[in-house]
Amino acid sequence: MRSLWLLILLAVPVVTLAHDETTSPTSTLTVSETGIVPHAPDTAFVMFGLETASKSLADAQKRNGTVMSKVMDRLRDLQIEKERIQTSSFTVSPQYRPPSNRPTDVSPASPEIIGYVVSNMVTVEIRALDKVGTVIEEVLKAGANSFQGLHWGLREEQSVRLSALKQAAAKAREKASVLSDGLNVKLARILSVTEGGQMIRPPMPMARMAMEASAGDVPISSGELKIEATVTLVYEIAPK
């Protein structure tokens, strides 16, 4: 009797393995679509700053701080709120004396610092788009000497992105329905959903052009933003 039970126990894994090997793979259909929703920007971000050089670090910092204080005062005069002004970078870079022509058999001397460059860069958020040209002109007049350009944005970007996702999902479902009819299969269920997207911005104006001309001469157009969303659906399919 004990030998009979042993034979039964040994037979069970063999039966299970045979069952697993005969399981047919799931047939799937994958579709991907993109939704694009255009929207006029309602915010501009202007990046500018000041670079000052001096033999003394203290002097370079002092001169930089004095001019940037004038720039900040000018921004307040333009009714730009304090919370819309952010320092994006502040760097101090030493300047070294160029190496002299020495014989190759002479050990090089340690680099000699002959001055410093202090760079203070600021990003300003502007919600009144008709002020963008004026802000650029006024900060340059106040002493800013480095203009990094500008880009456009949306304060309510999430709601526009959801609209693009809804559009992409509807197009993906429609494509899946058309394909299933053409292939004579039915859509059983959705196995997975993947989404992604980006904001397509208009080209940034050239910084040099903005620095060399007054606001009245620089054509600053906000153009149109495009919010792009992609949806990928994976369906399980079965014969009709």
Side-chain angles (χ1 to χ4, degrees):
M1 180 64 70
R2 183 176 300 173
S3 298
L4 178 59
W5 279 111
L6 180 59
L7 288 173
I8 293 174
L9 290 174
L10 290 173
V12 171
V14 175
V15 173
T16 304
L17 180 60
H19 177 74
D20 290 341
E21 288 178 347
T22 59
T23 302
S24 59
T26 302
S27 297
T28 62
L29 172 66
T30 302
V31 293
S32 184
E33 273 295 342
T34 299
I36 299 177
V37 177
H39 200 287
D42 55 18
T43 306
F45 297 89
V46 179
M47 290 78 74
F48 63 88
L50 177 69
E51 292 183 352
T52 52
S54 179
K55 293 182 179 180
S56 164
L57 176 57
D59 182 59
Q61 290 176 321
K62 180 179 179 181
R63 290 167 53 195
N64 192 286
T66 299
V67 176
M68 286 303 292
S69 293
K70 294 179 180 178
V71 171
M72 295 303 172
D73 289 341
R74 190 65 58 87
L75 289 173
R76 282 190 289 269
D77 292 341
L78 294 171
Q79 299 180 338
I80 303 296
E81 297 90 342
K82 184 178 180 180
E83 58 269 22
R84 310 293 175 203
I85 305 171
Q86 182 181 53
T87 299
S88 51
S89 71
F90 183 88
T91 60
V92 176
S93 305
Q95 293 180 305
Y96 297 95
R97 185 181 301 280
S100 59
N101 295 325
R102 296 175 177 270
T104 56
D105 58 343
V106 177
S107 300
S110 299
E112 179 186 356
I113 296 177
I114 59 174
Y116 297 88
V117 175
V118 175
S119 175
N120 189 352
M121 297 297 158
V122 174
T123 299
V124 178
E125 178 185 347
I126 305 172
R127 297 192 171 188
L129 299 188
D130 57 343
K131 287 185 177 181
V132 174
T134 302
V135 169
I136 294 174
E137 181 181 19
E138 292 300 317
V139 298
L140 294 176
K141 285 182 177 179
N145 61 10
S146 178
F147 182 78
Q148 303 298 314
L150 64 90
H151 70 264
W152 309 98
L154 286 174
R155 293 193 291 275
E156 300 297 333
E157 180 182 340
Q158 179 63 9
S159 63
V160 181
R161 186 172 182 273
L162 290 177
S163 296
L165 277 172
K166 184 176 181 180
Q167 181 188 121
K171 291 168 67 176
R173 289 196 305 269
E174 182 180 7
K175 177 187 281 188
S177 178
V178 171
L179 286 173
S180 64
D181 288 342
L183 297 171
N184 197 31
V185 296
K186 64 180 180 180
L187 303 174
R189 58 176 177 147
I190 295 178
L191 298 178
S192 70
V193 179
T194 306
E195 57 91 9
Q198 62 178 334
M199 177 185 287
I200 304 173
R201 305 179 187 274
M204 185 177 68
M206 295 296 293
R208 182 178 298 275
M209 180 181 67
M211 289 189 66
E212 292 179 349
S214 66
D217 297 330
V218 179
I220 298 179
S221 174
S222 59
E224 188 177 70
L225 299 174
K226 290 182 175 63
I227 309 301
E228 180 181 284
T230 302
V231 172
T232 300
L233 305 177
V234 179
Y235 284 89
E236 178 184 352
I237 57 175
K240 282 188 177 180

